[in-house]
Amino acid sequence: MTFTRIDLGANVRKDMIEILNQRLAGAIDLAGQCKQAHWNVKGPQFAALHLLFDTFHANMNGHVDEIAERITALGGVARGTVATVAKATDLPGYPEDITDGQAHLKALGDAFAKFGKSVRANIDDCDKAGDKDTADLFTGVSRAVDKDLWMIDAHLGK
Ligand SMILES: [Fe+2]
C-alpha cells in the first residue's frame, strides 16, 4: 500500500481496499452493460429507453470514480482495467442477442438488483470494520442504485 496519513489501521485499509475493488469491478461492468442497452435497444419505447439507459450509465460512472478514488485515498491500487474487471466481476454476462426494450430492462434490472444487494452488504462490512467513510460512500451508492432499480421496475410495470 502507498503512503497515507489517514488514521485507519493498515489491516482495516487492506480489507476496505479489497471490498472496494470487488465493487469497482461490478460497477465498471454494470456501466458497460448500461451502454450496451443504450446502443442496442429497439422498439416503440426507443427514445425514452435510449436516454434512460444513458442516464444509468452516467450515474454508474460517477460511482466508479468515487469507489476508485476511495481506494487510492486509502493507499491501494484501483484495479479498473478491462482485463482485470472481466476476471473480477461477479455479475452475469450481459446478453448480446436482445433488442426489445423489455428484455433490456429485465437484463439491466437483474444486474442492478445483484449489484445493489452486494453494495448493501458492504455498508455493514465497512461499518463493522470501523471505516464509516467507506460505509457512507457505499450508502450513497446504494441509495442511487435503489432509485435506478425503481425506475427500471416501474418501466417493467412492477
Ligand atoms: Fe449515446
Side-chain angles (χ1 to χ4, degrees), residues 5 12 14 30 48-49 53 56 65 68 72 77 84 94 110-111 115-116 126 141-142 151-152:
R5 289 188 287 184
V12 174
K14 186 168 163 286
L30 194 41
L49 292 180
F53 296 153
F56 293 159
D65 213 44
T72 44
V77 173
T84 300
Y94 195 84
D110 289 349
F115 180 76
C126 300
V141 172
S142 176
M151 292 196 185
I152 291 168

XYZ file of all heavy atoms in Angstrom, residues 5 12 14 30 48-49 53 56 65 68 72 77 84 94 110-111 115-116 126 141-142 151-152:
179
model
N -1.797 9.497 5.358
C -1.878 9.902 6.759
C -3.277 9.684 7.327
O -3.578 10.124 8.421
C -1.451 11.374 6.900
C 0.056 11.542 6.685
C 0.524 12.918 7.003
N 0.095 13.850 5.965
C 0.435 15.128 5.932
N 1.205 15.627 6.872
N 0.009 15.909 4.963
N -7.360 -2.582 8.435
C -8.678 -2.070 8.044
C -8.610 -1.563 6.615
O -9.478 -1.886 5.774
C -9.136 -0.924 8.990
C -10.436 -0.304 8.486
C -9.300 -1.435 10.414
N -6.560 -2.374 4.248
C -6.386 -3.503 3.319
C -7.739 -4.174 3.034
O -8.065 -4.463 1.872
C -5.412 -4.512 3.938
C -5.010 -5.652 3.050
C -3.823 -6.394 3.683
C -3.633 -7.770 3.061
N -4.636 -8.756 3.465
N -21.152 -2.995 -14.850
C -22.538 -2.533 -14.968
C -22.639 -1.257 -15.814
O -23.604 -1.092 -16.581
C -23.114 -2.310 -13.562
C -24.616 -2.141 -13.400
C -25.418 -3.085 -14.270
C -24.995 -2.318 -11.934
N -37.282 6.916 -25.223
C -37.235 7.019 -23.763
C -36.153 6.116 -23.170
O -35.380 6.539 -22.305
C -38.600 6.662 -23.176
N -36.094 4.882 -23.644
C -35.149 3.929 -23.049
C -33.706 4.257 -23.423
O -32.794 4.104 -22.602
C -35.502 2.499 -23.470
C -36.823 1.966 -22.899
C -37.080 0.533 -23.383
C -36.840 2.010 -21.381
N -31.173 4.678 -20.352
C -30.001 3.821 -20.168
C -28.714 4.653 -20.131
O -27.761 4.291 -19.442
C -29.939 2.759 -21.275
C -31.100 1.786 -21.256
C -31.524 1.152 -22.416
C -31.778 1.509 -20.073
C -32.587 0.245 -22.392
C -32.853 0.614 -20.039
C -33.256 -0.018 -21.207
N -28.468 6.015 -16.629
C -27.946 4.979 -15.721
C -26.428 4.860 -15.861
O -25.707 4.693 -14.871
C -28.582 3.614 -16.021
C -30.052 3.524 -15.717
C -30.832 2.551 -16.323
C -30.664 4.393 -14.821
C -32.189 2.445 -16.044
C -32.024 4.299 -14.541
C -32.788 3.324 -15.158
N -15.981 6.310 -10.207
C -14.921 7.256 -9.845
C -14.801 7.414 -8.330
O -13.695 7.465 -7.780
C -15.214 8.610 -10.505
C -13.940 9.330 -10.874
O -13.024 8.684 -11.424
O -13.833 10.530 -10.574
N -13.199 4.170 -6.941
C -11.779 4.065 -7.307
C -10.930 5.050 -6.501
O -9.836 4.711 -6.030
C -11.612 4.319 -8.804
N -7.656 4.635 -3.768
C -6.328 5.267 -3.797
C -6.112 6.153 -2.581
O -5.001 6.243 -2.064
C -6.124 6.057 -5.107
O -7.300 6.808 -5.405
C -5.851 5.121 -6.266
N -4.386 0.237 -4.821
C -4.367 0.377 -6.272
C -5.776 0.090 -6.779
O -6.328 -0.992 -6.527
C -3.369 -0.616 -6.919
C -3.480 -0.572 -8.445
C -1.955 -0.292 -6.466
N -8.760 -6.862 -15.950
C -8.940 -7.179 -14.530
C -10.410 -7.275 -14.173
O -10.838 -8.185 -13.459
C -8.256 -6.100 -13.656
O -6.873 -6.081 -13.977
C -8.432 -6.401 -12.177
N -23.793 -9.923 -19.905
C -24.993 -9.299 -20.464
C -25.348 -9.963 -21.792
O -24.468 -10.144 -22.639
C -24.741 -7.803 -20.672
C -26.009 -7.007 -20.894
C -26.757 -6.566 -19.815
C -26.458 -6.720 -22.173
C -27.930 -5.839 -20.006
C -27.627 -5.995 -22.382
C -28.354 -5.561 -21.285
O -29.509 -4.847 -21.476
N -31.940 -7.127 -13.439
C -31.295 -8.245 -12.733
C -29.887 -7.847 -12.278
O -29.475 -8.148 -11.159
C -31.207 -9.479 -13.643
C -32.573 -10.121 -13.890
O -33.548 -9.758 -13.198
O -32.672 -10.985 -14.791
N -29.158 -7.162 -13.146
C -27.791 -6.751 -12.811
C -27.791 -5.688 -11.708
O -26.986 -5.761 -10.772
C -27.083 -6.235 -14.062
N -26.066 -6.176 -8.029
C -25.050 -5.208 -7.603
C -25.508 -4.491 -6.330
O -24.734 -4.338 -5.371
C -24.799 -4.200 -8.733
C -23.766 -3.161 -8.404
C -22.413 -3.461 -8.418
C -24.149 -1.859 -8.078
C -21.461 -2.501 -8.112
C -23.203 -0.889 -7.770
C -21.854 -1.209 -7.792
N -26.780 -4.079 -6.316
C -27.308 -3.355 -5.154
C -27.278 -4.188 -3.885
O -26.992 -3.665 -2.797
N -18.160 -2.559 6.042
C -17.251 -1.432 6.278
C -17.515 -0.792 7.635
O -16.578 -0.386 8.337
C -17.393 -0.393 5.166
S -16.997 -1.058 3.548
N -24.043 5.116 -2.752
C -24.167 4.301 -3.971
C -25.441 3.461 -3.893
O -26.203 3.369 -4.864
C -22.928 3.390 -4.153
C -23.143 2.409 -5.303
C -21.676 4.228 -4.391
N -25.675 2.880 -2.731
C -26.853 2.017 -2.542
C -28.145 2.788 -2.793
O -29.056 2.299 -3.471
C -26.835 1.453 -1.119
O -27.981 0.695 -0.864
N -36.751 2.811 -11.119
C -37.133 3.281 -12.458
C -37.224 2.123 -13.449
O -38.117 2.085 -14.295
C -36.134 4.328 -12.949
C -36.201 5.611 -12.150
S -35.384 6.954 -12.975
C -35.539 8.220 -11.698
N -36.274 1.193 -13.341
C -36.309 0.022 -14.217
C -37.592 -0.777 -13.967
O -38.317 -1.128 -14.899
C -35.062 -0.863 -13.976
C -33.798 -0.149 -14.477
C -35.224 -2.231 -14.649
C -32.499 -0.788 -14.050
